[in-house]
């Protein structure tokens, strides 16, 4: 898994998934310093300050950037790895956007979806995710992987319509 945007949600999900033996590859943030800090918090991954082709080595790309960056990140992923996205799953964690925000990578053959935890993330502590609802939607392959992630976290996946 690669994580793009390691703010509160990305760091928390990354750390918890790493603790559950999910392999975290690249961690991409706006600066090298914040990427290194995120990698230390998560306990795994390789820090990057810009999107690189290394992110395309992952089967799953999790975009946990602010809402207004999701479309831009998807477009940049499509630009750097168009053909390599085929068969990958790209999820975002925005509660304000549906999987349509990832159209650029979907057009390259990626299965896209959203996986939004209905939980507030504040400070540096990881909130308990067991029993928390995660709204998921998107392509069938993306929904399957999102459901697998949510269940691994002890959460409750609830499939919603894109609208």
């Amino acid at each position: 898994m690669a994580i793009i945007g390691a703010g509160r949600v990305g760091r928390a999900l990354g750390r918890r998934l790493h603790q559950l033996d999910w392999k975290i590859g690249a961690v991409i943030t706006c600066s090298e310093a914040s990427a290194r800090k995120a990698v230390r918090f998560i306990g795994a991954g390789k820090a990057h300050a810009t999107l690189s082709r290394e992110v395309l080595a992952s089967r799953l790309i999790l975009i946990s950037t602010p809402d207004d960056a999701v479309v831009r990140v998807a477009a940049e992923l499509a630009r750097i790895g168009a053909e390599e996205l085929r068969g990958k799953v790209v999820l975002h964690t925005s509660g304000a956007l549906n999987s349509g925000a990832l159209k650029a990578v979907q057009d390259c053959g990626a299965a896209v979806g959203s996986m939004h935890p209905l939980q507030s993330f504040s400070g540096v502590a990881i909130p308990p995710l067991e029993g928390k609802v995660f709204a998921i939607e998107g392509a069938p392959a993306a929904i399957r992987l999102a459901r697998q992630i949510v269940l691994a976290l002890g959460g409750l996946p609830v499939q919603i319509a894109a609208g």
Side-chain angles (χ1 to χ4, degrees):
M1 149 187 290
I3 299 172
I4 302 172
R8 291 179 293 218
V9 175
R11 282 192 324 262
L13 293 177
R15 183 170 182 171
R16 190 67 189 110
L17 288 168
H18 173 65
Q19 291 170 340
L20 295 167
D21 293 327
W22 284 66
K23 185 178 184 309
I24 309 297
V27 177
I28 298 96
T29 66
C30 295
S31 74
E32 198 67 39
S34 66
R36 283 192 304 270
K37 184 176 177 182
V39 165
R40 280 192 305 273
F41 183 85
I42 291 167
K46 187 172 178 185
H48 296 277
T50 58
L51 276 176
S52 67
R53 297 184 73 75
E54 187 171 337
V55 74
L56 300 170
S58 298
R59 180 177 80 117
L60 166 64
I61 301 169
L62 180 67
I63 301 173
S64 59
T65 61
D67 297 347
D68 62 355
V70 172
V71 172
R72 185 175 67 249
V73 167
E76 181 64 10
L77 276 172
R79 187 189 70 74
I80 66 170
E83 293 175 5
E84 294 171 77
L85 286 165
R86 183 166 305 286
K88 309 275 186 200
V89 172
V90 181
L91 297 171
H92 72 70
T93 60
S94 170
L97 303 170
N98 65 24
S99 58
L102 302 174
K103 184 175 182 337
V105 293
Q106 181 181 20
D107 289 348
C108 295
V112 301
S114 65
M115 179 185 79
H116 177 66
L118 301 179
Q119 165 68 47
S120 37
F121 292 80
S122 60
V124 293
I126 299 173
L129 298 171
E130 295 80 8
K132 302 298 184 202
V133 171
F134 284 69
I136 60 174
E137 64 84 27
I143 289 173
R144 278 192 301 276
L145 191 49
R147 181 173 278 122
Q148 183 181 359
I149 291 167
V150 173
L151 292 173
L153 293 168
L156 176 65
V158 175
Q159 190 170 342
I160 61 171

